[in-house]
Protein backbone atom coordinates (compact mmCIF):
# COMPACT_ATOMS: atom_id res chain seq x y z
CA UNK A 1 0.00 0.00 0.00
CA UNK A 2 1.04 3.58 -0.51
CA UNK A 3 -1.81 5.25 1.40
CA UNK A 4 -2.20 3.33 4.70
CA UNK A 5 -4.24 0.54 3.10
CA UNK A 6 -6.94 2.75 1.63
CA UNK A 7 -5.75 1.00 -1.54
CA UNK A 8 -3.49 -1.96 -1.83
CA UNK A 9 -2.00 -4.01 -4.69
CA UNK A 10 -0.38 -7.42 -5.16
CA UNK A 11 1.25 -8.86 -8.28
CA UNK A 12 0.61 -12.54 -9.05
CA UNK A 13 1.62 -14.99 -11.78
CA UNK A 14 -1.39 -16.71 -13.32
CA UNK A 15 -1.77 -20.19 -14.68
CA UNK A 16 -3.69 -20.84 -17.95
CA UNK A 17 -7.42 -21.15 -17.32
CA UNK A 18 -9.31 -20.15 -14.15
CA UNK A 19 -7.39 -18.50 -11.29
CA UNK A 20 -8.86 -17.69 -7.83
CA UNK A 21 -7.61 -14.72 -5.80
CA UNK A 22 -8.36 -14.54 -2.01
CA UNK A 23 -7.55 -11.69 0.37
CA UNK A 24 -8.28 -10.59 3.97
CA UNK A 25 -7.21 -7.67 6.14
CA UNK A 26 -5.86 -7.63 9.69
CA UNK A 27 -5.96 -4.67 12.07
CA UNK A 28 -3.37 -3.66 14.66
CA UNK A 29 -4.81 -5.82 17.41
CA UNK A 30 -5.17 -8.94 15.29
CA UNK A 31 -8.80 -8.72 14.15
CA UNK A 32 -9.37 -10.29 10.72
CA UNK A 33 -11.71 -9.23 7.99
CA UNK A 34 -13.90 -11.57 6.01
CA UNK A 35 -11.89 -13.32 3.33
CA UNK A 36 -12.88 -12.04 -0.11
CA UNK A 37 -12.56 -14.20 -3.20
CA UNK A 38 -12.49 -13.37 -6.93
CA UNK A 39 -12.03 -15.66 -9.95
CA UNK A 40 -10.55 -14.68 -13.29
CA UNK A 41 -9.52 -16.54 -16.43
CA UNK A 42 -6.05 -16.34 -17.89
CA UNK A 43 -6.63 -16.73 -21.65
CA UNK A 44 -3.83 -18.04 -23.82
CA UNK A 45 -4.29 -16.33 -27.21
CA UNK A 46 -2.61 -16.20 -30.59
CA UNK A 47 -3.09 -14.17 -33.77
CA UNK A 48 -5.05 -15.78 -36.63
CA UNK A 49 -4.10 -15.24 -40.27
CA UNK A 50 -7.02 -15.21 -42.73
CA UNK A 51 -6.77 -14.27 -46.43
CA UNK A 52 -8.92 -14.40 -49.57
CA UNK A 53 -8.01 -15.65 -53.02
CA UNK A 54 -10.38 -14.08 -55.53
CA UNK A 55 -13.32 -11.77 -54.94
CA UNK A 56 -15.36 -12.45 -51.83
CA UNK A 57 -15.76 -11.67 -48.13
CA UNK A 58 -15.46 -13.55 -44.84
CA UNK A 59 -17.57 -12.93 -41.75
CA UNK A 60 -16.49 -12.42 -39.08
CA UNK A 61 -13.07 -11.50 -40.43
CA UNK A 62 -10.64 -12.67 -37.72
CA UNK A 63 -7.54 -11.83 -39.74
CA UNK A 64 -4.91 -10.50 -37.29
CA UNK A 65 -7.21 -10.94 -34.29
CA UNK A 66 -5.93 -12.44 -31.00
CA UNK A 67 -8.14 -15.47 -30.40
CA UNK A 68 -8.30 -17.70 -27.33
CA UNK A 69 -6.33 -20.89 -27.76
CA UNK A 70 -8.56 -23.91 -27.28
CA UNK A 71 -11.79 -21.99 -27.96
CA UNK A 72 -14.16 -22.80 -30.82
CA UNK A 73 -14.71 -20.30 -33.64
CA UNK A 74 -16.32 -20.20 -37.07
CA UNK A 75 -16.07 -18.01 -40.20
CA UNK A 76 -18.34 -17.92 -43.26
CA UNK A 77 -17.18 -17.11 -46.80
CA UNK A 78 -19.47 -15.25 -49.24
CA UNK A 79 -18.57 -14.90 -52.91
CA UNK A 80 -18.93 -11.55 -54.70
CA UNK A 81 -21.20 -11.20 -57.73
CA UNK A 82 -19.74 -13.14 -60.66
CA UNK A 83 -17.62 -15.37 -58.39
CA UNK A 84 -18.13 -18.76 -56.75
CA UNK A 85 -16.69 -20.10 -53.49
CA UNK A 86 -14.47 -23.16 -54.04
CA UNK A 87 -13.31 -23.97 -50.50
CA UNK A 88 -11.09 -23.21 -47.51
CA UNK A 89 -7.41 -24.14 -47.58
CA UNK A 90 -4.50 -23.74 -45.18
CA UNK A 91 -4.45 -25.21 -41.65
CA UNK A 92 -7.83 -26.80 -42.40
CA UNK A 93 -9.48 -27.76 -45.70
CA UNK A 94 -13.20 -27.84 -46.41
CA UNK A 95 -15.55 -27.12 -49.31
CA UNK A 96 -18.25 -25.75 -47.03
CA UNK A 97 -18.69 -22.00 -46.88
CA UNK A 98 -18.59 -22.05 -43.04
CA UNK A 99 -15.26 -23.04 -41.48
CA UNK A 100 -15.36 -24.25 -37.85
CA UNK A 101 -12.07 -24.57 -35.94
CA UNK A 102 -10.47 -24.83 -32.51
CA UNK A 103 -7.99 -22.01 -32.05
CA UNK A 104 -4.34 -22.95 -31.82
CA UNK A 105 -1.01 -21.27 -32.51
CA UNK A 106 0.07 -20.50 -36.07
CA UNK A 107 -3.29 -21.13 -37.73
CA UNK A 108 -3.67 -19.85 -41.30
CA UNK A 109 -6.77 -20.07 -43.48
CA UNK A 110 -7.54 -18.95 -47.07
CA UNK A 111 -11.02 -18.55 -48.55
CA UNK A 112 -10.83 -19.31 -52.26
CA UNK A 113 -13.17 -17.74 -54.83
CA UNK A 114 -13.19 -18.33 -58.60
CA UNK A 115 -14.49 -16.11 -61.39
CA UNK A 116 -17.65 -17.72 -62.81
CA UNK A 117 -18.98 -14.83 -64.93
CA UNK A 118 -18.69 -15.18 -68.69
CA UNK A 119 -17.37 -12.17 -70.58
CA UNK A 120 -19.65 -10.34 -73.01
CA UNK A 121 -18.84 -9.61 -76.63
CA UNK A 122 -20.67 -7.96 -79.48
CA UNK A 123 -19.96 -7.19 -83.13
CA UNK A 124 -20.49 -3.48 -83.84
CA UNK A 125 -19.67 -3.57 -87.55
CA UNK A 126 -20.85 -4.96 -89.92
CA UNK A 127 -24.54 -4.76 -89.14
CA UNK A 128 -26.95 -7.51 -90.14
CA UNK A 129 -27.54 -7.70 -93.92
CA UNK A 130 -25.26 -4.73 -94.57
CA UNK A 131 -24.20 -4.38 -98.23
CA UNK A 132 -20.54 -3.64 -98.87
CA UNK A 133 -18.85 -2.93 -102.22
CA UNK A 134 -15.21 -3.64 -101.32
CA UNK A 135 -13.42 -6.97 -100.87
CA UNK A 136 -11.62 -5.67 -97.74
CA UNK A 137 -13.59 -5.06 -94.54
CA UNK A 138 -12.61 -4.17 -90.96
CA UNK A 139 -14.77 -5.97 -88.43
CA UNK A 140 -15.12 -4.18 -85.07
CA UNK A 141 -16.70 -4.98 -81.73
CA UNK A 142 -16.68 -4.50 -77.95
CA UNK A 143 -15.85 -6.99 -75.16
CA UNK A 144 -16.22 -6.72 -71.37
CA UNK A 145 -15.62 -8.86 -68.28
CA UNK A 146 -16.04 -8.51 -64.51
CA UNK A 147 -12.28 -9.07 -64.11
CA UNK A 148 -10.46 -8.81 -67.42
CA UNK A 149 -10.80 -9.92 -71.05
CA UNK A 150 -7.81 -11.91 -72.24
CA UNK A 151 -8.59 -12.14 -75.96
CA UNK A 152 -11.21 -11.99 -78.70
CA UNK A 153 -11.28 -14.55 -81.51
CA UNK A 154 -13.06 -14.21 -84.85
CA UNK A 155 -13.85 -16.39 -87.85
CA UNK A 156 -15.05 -15.49 -91.36
CA UNK A 157 -17.17 -17.98 -93.28
CA UNK A 158 -16.14 -20.90 -91.07
CA UNK A 159 -12.39 -20.29 -91.27
CA UNK A 160 -10.03 -20.98 -88.37
CA UNK A 161 -10.44 -18.85 -85.24
CA UNK A 162 -7.99 -15.95 -85.27
CA UNK A 163 -7.05 -13.44 -82.55
CA UNK A 164 -8.42 -9.94 -83.04
CA UNK A 165 -6.53 -6.74 -82.19
CA UNK A 166 -7.13 -4.07 -79.54
CA UNK A 167 -5.56 -0.81 -78.49
CA UNK A 168 -7.58 -0.19 -75.32
CA UNK A 169 -7.74 -3.47 -73.38
CA UNK A 170 -10.62 -4.92 -75.46
CA UNK A 171 -13.03 -2.05 -74.85
CA UNK A 172 -12.92 -2.00 -78.66
CA UNK A 173 -11.41 -4.58 -80.98
CA UNK A 174 -10.88 -4.88 -84.73
CA UNK A 175 -10.11 -7.55 -87.32
CA UNK A 176 -9.36 -7.16 -91.02
CA UNK A 177 -11.05 -9.70 -93.32
CA UNK A 178 -11.11 -10.42 -97.07
CA UNK A 179 -14.66 -11.00 -98.27
CA UNK A 180 -16.02 -13.35 -100.90
CA UNK A 181 -18.72 -12.17 -103.33
CA UNK A 182 -22.18 -12.63 -101.91
CA UNK A 183 -23.12 -13.41 -98.31
CA UNK A 184 -20.34 -13.46 -95.69
CA UNK A 185 -20.73 -14.61 -92.07
CA UNK A 186 -18.42 -13.28 -89.36
CA UNK A 187 -18.39 -14.78 -85.85
CA UNK A 188 -16.56 -13.67 -82.70
CA UNK A 189 -16.25 -14.61 -79.02
CA UNK A 190 -14.29 -13.31 -76.02
CA UNK A 191 -12.25 -15.22 -73.41
CA UNK A 192 -11.43 -13.91 -69.92
CA UNK A 193 -8.22 -14.45 -67.98
CA UNK A 194 -9.30 -17.76 -66.43
CA UNK A 195 -10.83 -19.22 -69.59
CA UNK A 196 -14.52 -18.32 -69.32
CA UNK A 197 -15.94 -17.84 -72.83
CA UNK A 198 -18.62 -15.43 -73.99
CA UNK A 199 -21.54 -16.35 -76.22
CA UNK A 200 -20.42 -16.43 -79.87
CA UNK A 201 -21.83 -13.48 -81.81
CA UNK A 202 -22.64 -13.90 -85.50
CA UNK A 203 -23.47 -11.37 -88.25
CA UNK A 204 -24.29 -12.00 -91.93
CA UNK A 205 -23.63 -9.30 -94.52
CA UNK A 206 -23.23 -9.06 -98.29
CA UNK A 207 -20.19 -8.22 -100.38
CA UNK A 208 -21.74 -6.70 -103.49
CA UNK A 209 -19.82 -7.04 -106.75
CA UNK A 210 -20.90 -4.07 -108.85
CA UNK A 211 -20.35 -2.67 -112.33
CA UNK A 212 -21.26 0.46 -114.26
CA UNK A 213 -24.32 0.27 -116.50
CA UNK A 214 -24.49 2.28 -119.74
CA UNK A 215 -27.94 3.37 -120.93
CA UNK A 216 -28.52 5.57 -124.01
CA UNK A 217 -31.55 7.00 -125.81
CA UNK A 218 -31.96 7.27 -129.58
CA UNK A 219 -34.70 9.76 -130.33
CA UNK A 220 -36.89 11.76 -127.99
CA UNK A 221 -37.97 9.95 -124.86
CA UNK A 222 -37.09 9.21 -121.24
CA UNK A 223 -36.09 6.14 -119.21
CA UNK A 224 -37.05 5.44 -115.59
CA UNK A 225 -35.17 4.82 -113.46
CA UNK A 226 -32.19 6.20 -115.32
CA UNK A 227 -29.36 3.84 -114.36
CA UNK A 228 -26.91 5.31 -116.87
CA UNK A 229 -23.50 5.44 -115.14
CA UNK A 230 -24.81 3.82 -111.96
CA UNK A 231 -22.93 1.10 -110.03
CA UNK A 232 -25.32 -1.85 -109.91
CA UNK A 233 -24.94 -5.14 -108.09
CA UNK A 234 -23.76 -7.93 -110.33
CA UNK A 235 -26.21 -10.83 -110.26
CA UNK A 236 -29.15 -8.71 -109.09
CA UNK A 237 -32.34 -8.17 -111.10
CA UNK A 238 -33.29 -4.71 -112.35
CA UNK A 239 -35.78 -3.15 -114.78
CA UNK A 240 -35.97 0.09 -116.79
CA UNK A 241 -39.03 1.52 -118.51
CA UNK A 242 -38.88 3.66 -121.67
CA UNK A 243 -41.43 6.42 -122.32
CA UNK A 244 -41.61 8.24 -125.65
CA UNK A 245 -41.92 12.02 -125.84
CA UNK A 246 -44.90 13.66 -127.54
CA UNK A 247 -44.80 12.96 -131.27
CA UNK A 248 -42.49 9.98 -130.86
CA UNK A 249 -43.07 6.28 -130.46
CA UNK A 250 -40.93 3.68 -128.72
CA UNK A 251 -39.58 1.06 -131.12
CA UNK A 252 -37.59 -1.17 -128.77
CA UNK A 253 -34.48 -1.79 -126.70
CA UNK A 254 -31.19 -2.71 -128.36
CA UNK A 255 -27.69 -3.43 -127.10
CA UNK A 256 -26.86 -6.20 -124.62
CA UNK A 257 -30.51 -7.23 -124.70
CA UNK A 258 -33.21 -6.73 -127.35
CA UNK A 259 -36.93 -6.38 -126.72
CA UNK A 260 -39.88 -4.45 -128.14
CA UNK A 261 -41.51 -4.05 -124.72
CA UNK A 262 -41.22 -0.67 -123.05
CA UNK A 263 -39.97 -2.28 -119.80
CA UNK A 264 -36.58 -3.94 -120.01
CA UNK A 265 -35.82 -6.52 -117.30
CA UNK A 266 -32.23 -7.67 -116.92
CA UNK A 267 -29.75 -9.48 -114.66
CA UNK A 268 -26.83 -7.17 -113.95
CA UNK A 269 -23.46 -8.20 -115.34
CA UNK A 270 -20.25 -6.50 -116.41
CA UNK A 271 -20.14 -4.36 -119.56
CA UNK A 272 -23.91 -4.13 -120.12
CA UNK A 273 -25.10 -1.46 -122.56
CA UNK A 274 -28.71 -0.67 -123.50
CA UNK A 275 -30.27 1.81 -125.92
CA UNK A 276 -33.90 2.91 -125.83
CA UNK A 277 -35.00 3.76 -129.40
CA UNK A 278 -37.70 6.29 -130.19
CA UNK A 279 -38.99 7.20 -133.69
CA UNK A 280 -40.77 10.35 -134.89
CA UNK A 281 -44.43 9.39 -135.52
CA UNK A 282 -46.01 12.83 -136.01
CA UNK A 283 -47.18 13.70 -139.62
CA UNK A 284 -46.07 17.10 -140.91
CA UNK A 285 -48.63 19.85 -141.53
CA UNK A 286 -48.98 21.91 -144.77
CA UNK A 287 -51.38 24.63 -145.99
CA UNK A 288 -51.98 26.73 -149.19
CA UNK A 289 -51.91 30.36 -148.37
CA UNK A 290 -52.68 31.65 -151.86
CA UNK A 291 -54.92 31.40 -153.73
CA UNK A 292 -57.79 31.43 -151.35
CA UNK A 293 -60.86 29.40 -152.00
CA UNK A 294 -62.94 30.65 -155.04
CA UNK A 295 -60.48 33.47 -155.69
CA UNK A 296 -60.74 35.06 -159.25
CA UNK A 297 -57.51 35.75 -161.17
CA UNK A 298 -56.98 37.48 -164.57
CA UNK A 299 -53.47 36.38 -165.61
Amino acid sequence: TANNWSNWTAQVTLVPGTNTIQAYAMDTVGNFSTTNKASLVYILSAPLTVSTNGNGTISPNYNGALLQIGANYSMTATASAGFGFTGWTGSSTTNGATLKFVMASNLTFTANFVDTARPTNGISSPTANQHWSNAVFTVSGKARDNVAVANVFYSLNGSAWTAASTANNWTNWTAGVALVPGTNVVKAYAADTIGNLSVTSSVSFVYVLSAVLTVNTNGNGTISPNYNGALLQIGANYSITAKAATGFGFTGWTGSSTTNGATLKFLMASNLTFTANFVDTARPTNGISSPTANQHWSN
Side-chain angles (χ1 to χ4, degrees):
T1 184
N3 54 8
N4 201 30
W5 303 104
S6 292
N7 299 93
W8 60 267
T9 59
Q11 187 170 5
V12 295
T13 300
L14 305 178
V15 296
T18 300
N19 292 258
T20 301
I21 303 293
Q22 299 183 82
Y24 67 89
M26 182 179 68
D27 65 14
T28 54
V29 298
N31 296 315
F32 296 95
S33 71
T34 301
T35 299
N36 295 302
K37 180 187 296 186
S39 296
L40 71 158
V41 179
Y42 167 30
I43 299 172
L44 283 175
S45 59
L48 179 65
T49 300
V50 185
S51 59
T52 58
N53 177 25
N55 289 3
T57 59
I58 49 180
S59 180
N61 190 343
Y62 288 129
N63 183 47
L66 282 169
L67 300 185
Q68 180 179 345
I69 292 176
N72 293 302
Y73 296 89
S74 67
M75 295 183 292
T76 299
T78 303
S80 300
F83 282 75
F85 176 70
T86 58
W88 290 94
T89 55
S91 299
S92 183
T93 303
T94 178
N95 291 329
T98 298
L99 170 68
K100 296 181 178 180
F101 61 97
V102 177
M103 186 59 192
S105 298
N106 302 316
L107 288 189
T108 301
F109 300 115
T110 300
N112 297 281
F113 305 95
V114 64
D115 180 8
T116 59
R118 301 171 68 173
T120 60
N121 180 62
I123 298 173
S124 306
S125 179
T127 56
N129 299 316
Q130 178 178 339
H131 284 58
W132 185 253
S133 59
N134 195 317
V136 177
F137 191 90
T138 299
V139 181
S140 63
K142 299 177 181 290
R144 294 180 60 186
D145 187 63
N146 62 328
V147 177
V149 175
N151 216 331
V152 172
F153 297 93
Y154 70 94
S155 170
L156 179 69
N157 300 325
S159 62
W161 292 102
T162 306
S165 300
T166 185
N168 54 10
N169 202 30
W170 304 105
T171 300
N172 301 93
W173 56 265
T174 58
V177 294
L179 306 180
V180 296
T183 298
N184 291 258
V185 179
V186 62
K187 297 181 178 181
Y189 70 88
D192 67 15
T193 51
I194 68 163
N196 293 320
L197 303 180
S198 72
V199 174
T200 299
S201 300
S202 178
V203 175
S204 297
F205 64 115
V206 180
Y207 166 31
V208 178
L209 282 175
S210 58
V212 176
L213 178 65
T214 301
V215 185
N216 301 309
T217 58
N218 178 22
N220 289 359
T222 59
I223 51 178
S224 179
N226 189 345
Y227 287 130
N228 183 47
L231 277 170
L232 300 185
Q233 179 180 344
I234 292 176
N237 291 300
Y238 297 89
S239 66
I240 313 175
T241 300
K243 183 179 180 180
T246 303
F248 281 76
F250 176 70
T251 59
W253 288 95
T254 56
S256 299
S257 183
T258 303
T259 179
N260 292 328
T263 298
L264 170 68
K265 296 182 178 180
F266 63 96
L267 185 69
M268 186 59 191
S270 299
N271 303 314
L272 289 188
T273 300
F274 300 114
T275 299
N277 298 281
F278 305 96
V279 66
D280 181 6
T281 58
R283 298 173 64 176
T285 60
N286 180 61
I288 299 173
S289 305
S290 178
T292 59
N294 299 315
Q295 179 180 339
H296 287 65
W297 184 253
S298 62
N299 194 328

